Amino acid sequence: MKIGIVCYPTFGGSGVVATELGLGLAQRGHQVHFITYKRPARLLVFHENIYFHEVSEVNYPLFEYTPYDTALTSKLVDVVKYEGLDLLHVHYAIPHAAVAYMAKKILIQEGKYIPVVTTLHGTDITLVGNDHSFAPVVEFSINKSDGITAVSHYLKDKTEEYFNIEKEIKVIYNFIDFSRFQKIDKDHFRKAIAPHGEKIMMHTSNFRKVKRVHDVIKVFDKVSRKIPAKLLLAGDGPERASAEELCRSLGTCGDIRFLGKQDAIEELLAISDLFILPSGNESFGLAALEAMACEVPVISSNIGGLPELNIHGETGYLSEVGDVEDMAANAIRLLSDPELLQKFRAGAKKRATEFDIDRIVPQYESYYEEVLAQSLHATG
Ligand code: GMT
């Protein structure tokens, strides 16, 4: 198949999933065209089946905001037509589902029907999409997609609760590439971070409010009062400054490393004993899956799609959002019992294999085939 992928190329779950999916599809012999404003980070290496089409900015003094949607629509029309694409797969509903609908309508006039699959990732429904300034367009364009997928049953249910959805939403979970995410030996690195054998806790996110980074620090503060420990924080975003302030006021800065944006997350996970994800909402929790694949158990909130991934008492523990006491108690229980920690490490890895890229990418492939067959049928 010739597949066009539209996504946000920057740090963030939906862009990572879209890029990894494109790479997986290319490895299976499909021709994949990424259409976005910047080359996604993991696409820097040449791959014979991968193409990149950059949507360039148009600067004109009249525009206070660059009309990205219009530029993307025109680029989609162009790429679909001249590259002969079979299907467009857009990630994150805003504005991609609406843009794809517009491109589809333009192409119909020119005698070409391009089926569109929209994947809902989370905040495009639960935070931004639900806002009344976007909601009518989100609902309309989701309904106009030929296929809709969501990354968890939770997200499917929420989408159906918030909007009047007329089509079946297919759940296809996030996935993991074990050739990258696996336990590797980084003992020298571990010694540099925790020279006295301290336990290492880790968190990674885009430091937005929804990630509750302050809870990460509060939990760590409680844990480090009982067990010698270090905390690695990878990522950056709006909550970073206040998180740094909080650790200063708690006096824990000496044991916390703010690492900023990091590419090689697997190297940090290689030396971590526990991953913490206390989010206020999380449609799936790709970061937790990455940790589990590297045999790192997860302390997370019991919200959104997280209980579909993290099994309480097996791969980690679930606590109610904001319950830092419970999260800290669970972390202390695991970190102070080497046998239990080892059992959870194995449990986390075993669970992660259920989300192996080789299991999930074929689900997208067969869904594309289904959507293509239906649209051929519909267009005669
Ligand atoms: O909010 C983020 O963490 C980024 C966001 C995105 O769409 O870029 O991530 C969402 O999509 C990921 C991939 O499908 C999911 O694993 C994350 O759980 C989800 N984030 C939230 O729902 C907050």
Side-chain angles (χ1 to χ4, degrees):
M1 275 179 260
K2 288 187 178 183
I3 302 151
I5 291 187
V6 180
C7 65
Y8 285 106
T10 45
F11 283 82
S14 63
V16 172
V17 169
T19 311
E20 295 294 332
L21 174 62
L23 286 165
L25 291 164
Q27 259 151 24
R28 282 161 177 79
H30 300 287
Q31 198 182 89
V32 180
H33 293 256
F34 282 90
I35 308 138
T36 181
Y37 59 86
K38 195 171 137 200
R39 183 179 279 271
R42 291 215 61 206
L43 288 188
L44 295 177
V45 211
F46 172 76
H47 190 294
E48 58 175 330
N49 287 337
I50 292 203
Y51 297 75
F52 172 61
H53 307 268
E54 185 169 312
V55 182
S56 32
E57 234 183 278
V58 180
N59 289 312
Y60 184 65
L62 188 67
F63 302 149
E64 195 174 334
Y65 306 103
T66 306
Y68 177 66
D69 300 18
T70 307
L72 178 59
T73 307
S74 300
K75 186 59 106 184
L76 289 185
V77 169
D78 196 63
V79 176
V80 169
K81 213 160 47 177
Y82 295 108
E83 298 288 351
L85 299 192
D86 299 308
L87 181 135
L88 277 178
H89 186 174
V90 304
H91 292 259
Y92 205 89
I94 307 165
H96 300 144
V99 164
Y101 174 68
M102 179 78 154
K104 181 158 79 174
K105 285 306 237 187
I106 295 171
L107 286 158
I108 284 175
Q109 282 200 325
E110 300 185 15
K112 162 98 183 165
Y113 189 88
I114 184 80
V116 173
V117 171
T118 298
T119 289
L120 311 171
H121 280 273
T123 51
D124 48 351
I125 297 299
T126 55
L127 278 181
V128 203
N130 201 15
D131 189 291
H132 67 271
S133 45
F134 291 116
V137 178
V138 172
E139 182 178 271
F140 175 82
S141 52
I142 291 175
N143 277 325
K144 291 294 176 190
S145 301
D146 300 82
I148 314 160
T149 77
V151 299
S152 62
H153 287 280
Y154 159 81
L155 188 58
K156 171 182 154 78
D157 294 347
K158 276 287 155 208
T159 310
E160 287 166 351
E161 183 189 316
Y162 292 153
F163 302 111
N164 182 16
I165 300 296
E166 295 150 4
K167 285 199 174 82
E168 181 62 23
I169 301 176
K170 174 139 182 101
V171 173
I172 303 184
Y173 284 126
N174 284 178
F175 53 87
I176 193 83
D177 183 352
F178 278 92
S179 66
R180 177 175 169 203
F181 288 94
Q182 54 175 294
K183 179 109 182 101
I184 42 171
D185 181 17
K186 285 275 164 193
D187 236 29
H188 58 289
F189 180 30
R190 187 179 176 110
K191 282 195 185 104
I193 298 287
H196 307 293
E198 296 93 334
K199 296 291 180 199
I200 300 178
M201 290 177 67
M202 187 186 157
H203 168 80
T204 174
S205 73
N206 43 29
F207 283 54
R208 280 185 281 148
K209 259 205 159 40
V210 69
K211 301 293 175 182
R212 299 183 69 98
V213 184
H214 288 213
D215 285 1
V216 176
I217 290 164
K218 287 181 196 160
V219 170
F220 176 74
D221 179 53
K222 290 182 191 301
V223 173
S224 62
R225 286 171 197 275
K226 299 270 184 211
I227 295 171
K230 300 280 181 189
L231 173 65
L232 298 178
L233 291 167
D236 214 327
E239 292 294 289
R240 173 157 172 187
S242 61
E244 288 190 34
E245 249 168 58
L246 175 65
C247 78
R248 265 177 237 133
S249 70
L250 291 170
T252 48
C253 287
D255 291 319
I256 299 181
R257 292 279 287 265
F258 285 85
L259 300 164
K261 285 178 184 166
Q262 295 283 326
D263 277 329
I265 292 295
E266 66 277 20
E267 302 206 352
L268 300 169
L269 289 168
I271 63 164
S272 300
D273 297 297
L274 212 51
F275 188 80
I276 168 152
L277 194 63
S279 307
N281 203 354
E282 202 67 66
S283 65
F284 180 84
L286 181 60
L289 175 58
E290 290 174 349
M292 287 160 64
C294 295
E295 301 177 29
V296 182
V298 174
I299 298 290
S300 75
S301 37
N302 187 16
I303 193 88
L306 281 167
E308 293 175 54
L309 169 68
N310 187 17
I311 312 295
H312 187 73
E314 231 175 81
T315 65
Y317 291 107
L318 296 155
S319 307
E320 292 319 306
V321 173
D323 193 345
V324 290
E325 289 293 341
D326 193 53
M327 290 182 196
N330 290 332
I332 292 165
R333 183 178 317 141
L334 270 180
L335 293 177
S336 54
D337 183 342
E339 241 176 70
L340 188 67
L341 181 60
Q342 199 44 48
K343 203 172 136 216
F344 274 61
R345 278 186 180 279
K349 163 85 183 285
K350 186 164 172 268
R351 175 80 179 139
T353 58
E354 291 172 39
F355 303 89
D356 190 325
I357 187 167
D358 292 331
R359 287 186 183 203
I360 307 289
V361 173
Q363 294 179 24
Y364 277 112
E365 272 177 304
S366 35
Y367 189 59
Y368 294 162
E369 276 155 18
E370 206 180 293
V371 167
L372 272 169
Q374 272 167 15
S375 55
L376 272 180
H377 187 68
T379 53

